[in-house]
Amino acid sequence: MQNLMLHDTNYTELDPMTMTWCATAQLRAPYCDIQKNNPCLSASQIAYNQRQQQRAGVRLLLQALLKKLAIVDILDESSFPYRLTHSQYYVCFSHSSGSNKNATRMQNDIENSDNPYVKVAVILSRQRASGIDIEVKEVKWQVAKRFYHPKELAILQDMPIIKRDNVIKRLWQIKESFIKIHQYTLAQGLGMDYTAIIPNLIKHSTDSIPLLAITDDNSGYRIAVIPSQQTVIVY
C-alpha cells in the first residue's frame, strides 16, 4: 500500500535485560483518499482496504523499531506467535479502528475528517511471547457485563463510574494482550479472572503517570500501562 507515513512515533524500553521494547505511532490512512474519490465502495471493500492498511502500518512500525535498535532481520509470519527469523525475537502487533461492523460509521468519519488516521503498536521481546493492545475507544459497562468474570464484575459494579470506566478499559486491554499471547478465543480470554490486578488499576486509575508497571503474580507476566499512548503491554 502506497504513501504510508508514520507520525508521532514513540519508542519505550520496557526491560533492558530481555530487550523488550514497544513502539506506537499514528498512521495517516491513505485508503481514505481512495474512498473519498469512490463514495460507492461497499462496506466489504471499505473493511478490506482498512485491513490492508492496518497490516501494512504495523509492519512499517516494526521496521522503524528494528532500525532504531540496529537489528537486521525479517518477520516470520508462518505461525503464532510471530518471531523474527534469525534473532528469534517475539513480535506482536496492535492497531486501533474497527471491523466490518464499523464500516458505515468509519465511512462517515472519513467524510467528516480532513486528516483520518489509525494508531498502530508493536512489541518486540527476546524473552517470550508478549501481547500488546492499543485502544482509543471506551469499553461500555454493558459489554463488560456480558464478557467479564463474575468476580471482576462484583468489584466493578460498586465503583464510581469514571473510575469504573477506566478500569474496564484497562482490563479489556490486558485481556486482549493475554489472548494474543496464549491464542485464547475471544470469549475465553475476556472471561478470564484478573481480579488480583484490579486493586493496582483502581489505585492508579486517575494518575497522570507516564508508565504504570504491574506484576501479575498468577501468570508471572509483567503488565505495563502507558496512558498517554493508550497502550497496554503484557510481557
Side-chain angles (χ1 to χ4, degrees):
M1 187 170 289
Q2 61 183 359
N3 300 325
L4 284 173
M5 294 184 63
L6 298 173
H7 302 275
D8 299 326
T9 305
N10 294 280
Y11 302 101
T12 304
E13 184 180 31
L14 297 168
D15 185 353
M17 296 296 293
T18 60
M19 279 291 291
T20 301
W21 283 75
C22 75
T24 63
Q26 292 185 4
L27 185 71
R28 176 67 167 84
Y31 64 79
C32 296
D33 298 327
I34 298 174
Q35 287 157 208
K36 283 183 177 180
N37 295 326
N38 297 273
C40 295
L41 285 177
S42 67
S44 61
Q45 289 171 317
I46 293 173
Y48 174 79
N49 287 339
Q50 180 189 22
R51 288 193 301 271
Q52 291 298 102
Q53 187 264 337
Q54 292 164 345
R55 175 183 170 83
V58 293
R59 285 157 180 77
L60 182 63
L61 182 59
L62 172 63
Q63 292 306 313
L65 178 58
L66 293 180
K67 182 177 180 180
K68 177 178 176 61
L69 300 178
I71 296 174
V72 179
D73 214 329
I74 57 175
L75 181 65
D76 179 2
E77 304 178 61
S78 60
S79 62
F80 290 107
Y82 290 162
R83 304 186 77 170
L84 297 182
T85 301
H86 303 297
S87 62
Q88 290 293 288
Y89 278 65
Y90 293 92
V91 176
C92 184
F93 297 125
S94 182
H95 52 73
S96 68
S97 207
S99 60
N100 293 13
K101 295 179 181 179
N102 299 317
T104 301
R105 183 176 63 187
M106 194 179 87
Q107 189 171 36
N108 292 334
D109 291 342
I110 289 164
E111 292 170 355
N112 296 317
S113 174
D114 294 327
N115 186 33
Y117 67 88
V118 296
K119 290 192 173 185
V120 290
V122 61
I123 182 171
L124 182 72
S125 180
R126 186 175 59 190
Q127 182 183 27
R128 58 185 173 185
S130 301
I132 189 167
D133 188 66
I134 189 166
E135 184 63 57
V136 300
K137 300 172 185 175
E138 299 304 316
V139 178
K140 294 182 178 180
W141 174 232
Q142 289 81 357
V143 175
K145 288 194 291 185
R146 178 181 176 187
F147 290 106
Y148 284 14
H149 194 279
K151 290 184 179 179
E152 296 171 336
L153 296 176
I155 298 174
L156 293 168
Q157 67 183 1
D158 294 328
M159 292 176 58
I161 292 177
I162 293 177
K163 277 195 171 185
R164 185 186 71 191
D165 289 348
N166 186 287
V167 174
I168 285 173
K169 180 178 177 179
R170 298 304 176 214
L171 271 178
W172 182 279
Q173 292 182 276
I174 290 167
K175 290 168 182 280
E176 285 271 15
S177 297
F178 274 114
I179 286 171
K180 293 172 182 177
I181 292 171
H182 298 297
Q183 295 301 296
Y184 296 139
T185 64
L186 184 64
Q188 180 185 16
L190 293 178
M192 292 286 182
D193 180 13
Y194 295 104
T195 52
I197 63 176
I198 289 180
N200 271 315
L201 294 177
I202 294 174
K203 181 180 178 181
H204 300 284
S205 62
T206 57
D207 290 356
S208 57
I209 54 177
L211 188 149
L212 169 64
I214 303 169
T215 298
D216 178 21
D217 293 329
N218 292 331
S219 67
Y221 276 85
R222 285 171 288 179
I223 299 166
V225 179
I226 310 178
S228 64
Q229 300 173 37
Q230 300 172 298
T231 301
V232 167
I233 309 102
V234 177
Y235 63 101

